Amino acid sequence: MDSIRQAVELARAGAHQNAPTGLPRAEGPIDSQMRAVQLNPAHLESTRIVGHGVVGAQGRYYDMMRTQILQEMDQNAWQFLTVTSATAGCGKTVTACNLALSIARLAERSVLLVDMDMQKPRVAEYLGIKANEGLLSVLEGEASLASVMVEASIGRSKLLVLPGDACKSGTSEWMASQTMATLLQTIKREFRSRIVIFDMPPMLLGDDVISVLPQMEAVLLVAGIGNTSVADIKECHKHLKTTPVVRVVVNRVTEATDAHYGYY
């Protein structure tokens, strides 16, 4: 994995030195180097993550959404799916986690869930995974991709998770950087057999999402009753004219919302 780390560092320097940005292949399978964890069903249910099971109306809802989204992605040969919302408190992270776990239950499918909300990463918290490093650590060259990724299991299902770690400033610059582009190319190549789900920040609370949208292939937009207005949805669609929206999910949100979303 040193080759990937060195390549990311080289890409960062390339913006100033015109260095080549092609990534060499990893020296060994990334999957064999990552940490394995068992997810706790009780914790998942406490955070409204129900996609790991088939019991209950909520689980069936995510299965239906899974099938519809996968059919459309297969028809278009898409691999990257962005999950975002117009505003905070709409349940985008819950939706991303449930969709990933639902896909993981399919015997012939595999999925990678990436926490790309660099200002308020919560995927690890919702899944009950302890993570000291994440996406930002990889971008900064402080950790390798394999060292931060987790193979999470529950029952017979497995999914890969790239946790996030919070960035206090410059998140949109990271999103638009050649470093991020190089990392996304690595993910696309090394995990080409997997659907990759990116949990992004809310679209209208900054330019993080639109900075990286050109590298995404499809979008799942989450709205919350009482949190998202028709005007918000229309504003989002202005930014999504060149990126297909596979579904708009409307959640009934009952929890209190932090108006500032934890942004710095």
Side-chain angles (χ1 to χ4, degrees), residues 120-157:
K120 195 173 182 180
R122 299 191 68 185
V123 167
E125 175 187 341
Y126 274 79
L127 295 179
I129 296 172
K130 294 181 179 180
N132 297 321
E133 296 178 310
L135 174 66
L136 181 61
S137 300
V138 177
L139 293 173
E140 292 179 333
E142 300 298 325
S144 67
L145 188 59
S147 69
V148 301
M149 291 189 71
V150 175
E151 182 184 66
S153 303
I154 181 166
R156 297 182 178 179
S157 303

Side-chain angles (χ1 to χ4, degrees), residues 179-258:
T179 311
M180 179 68 81
T182 302
L183 182 59
L184 291 174
Q185 291 169 11
T186 301
I187 291 173
K188 180 176 283 289
R189 184 186 66 229
E190 298 296 335
F191 303 99
R192 57 187 175 272
S193 64
R194 295 179 183 269
I195 293 293
V196 185
I197 299 174
F198 297 90
D199 179 32
M200 295 276 195
M203 179 170 286
L204 301 184
L205 297 186
D207 61 339
D208 289 28
V209 176
I210 62 176
S211 295
V212 78
L213 266 182
Q215 300 177 72
M216 297 293 127
E217 295 167 315
V219 172
L220 173 63
L221 185 63
V222 182
I225 295 176
N227 292 57
T228 310
S229 67
V230 174
D232 292 334
I233 297 294
K234 290 181 177 179
E235 185 65 24
C236 286
H237 277 284
K238 290 180 182 179
H239 301 296
L240 294 170
K241 290 181 179 179
T242 59
T243 308
V245 179
V246 292
R247 287 294 180 276
V248 176
V249 175
V250 179
N251 283 330
R252 185 179 299 276
V253 180
T254 57
E255 62 185 18
T257 301
D258 179 0

Side-chain angles (χ1 to χ4, degrees), residues 6-140:
Q6 292 168 1
V8 170
E9 293 172 348
L10 180 62
R12 295 177 67 184
H16 304 285
Q17 302 175 5
N18 295 319
T21 58
L23 279 169
R25 299 197 66 82
E27 294 178 355
I30 293 178
D31 299 52
S32 65
Q33 303 175 53
M34 62 189 62
R35 176 167 58 102
V37 300
Q38 289 287 332
L39 300 181
N40 185 327
H43 176 85
L44 294 177
E45 291 169 12
S46 72
T47 56
R48 293 170 292 142
I49 308 302
V50 297
H52 57 91
V54 295
V55 178
Q58 288 183 314
R60 290 192 294 271
Y61 165 77
Y62 286 111
D63 288 352
M64 179 70 73
M65 181 172 65
R66 167 197 71 190
T67 301
Q68 294 170 340
I69 289 173
L70 288 178
Q71 287 177 348
E72 189 160 350
M73 294 189 73
D74 288 347
Q75 289 171 3
N76 293 280
W78 293 332
Q79 181 186 6
F80 283 3
L81 174 67
T82 291
V83 180
T84 185
S85 58
T87 55
C90 296
K92 67 176 184 62
T93 302
V94 170
T95 300
C97 291
N98 276 306
L99 178 60
L101 280 166
S102 181
I103 293 174
R105 293 192 357 255
L106 296 175
E108 297 182 356
R109 291 283 187 169
S110 53
V111 61
L112 164 61
L113 176 59
V114 179
D115 193 337
M116 202 179 276
D117 189 338
M118 298 178 70
Q119 299 199 37
K120 195 173 182 180
R122 299 191 68 185
V123 167
E125 175 187 341
Y126 274 79
L127 295 179
I129 296 172
K130 294 181 179 180
N132 297 321
E133 296 178 310
L135 174 66
L136 181 61
S137 300
V138 177
L139 293 173
E140 292 179 333

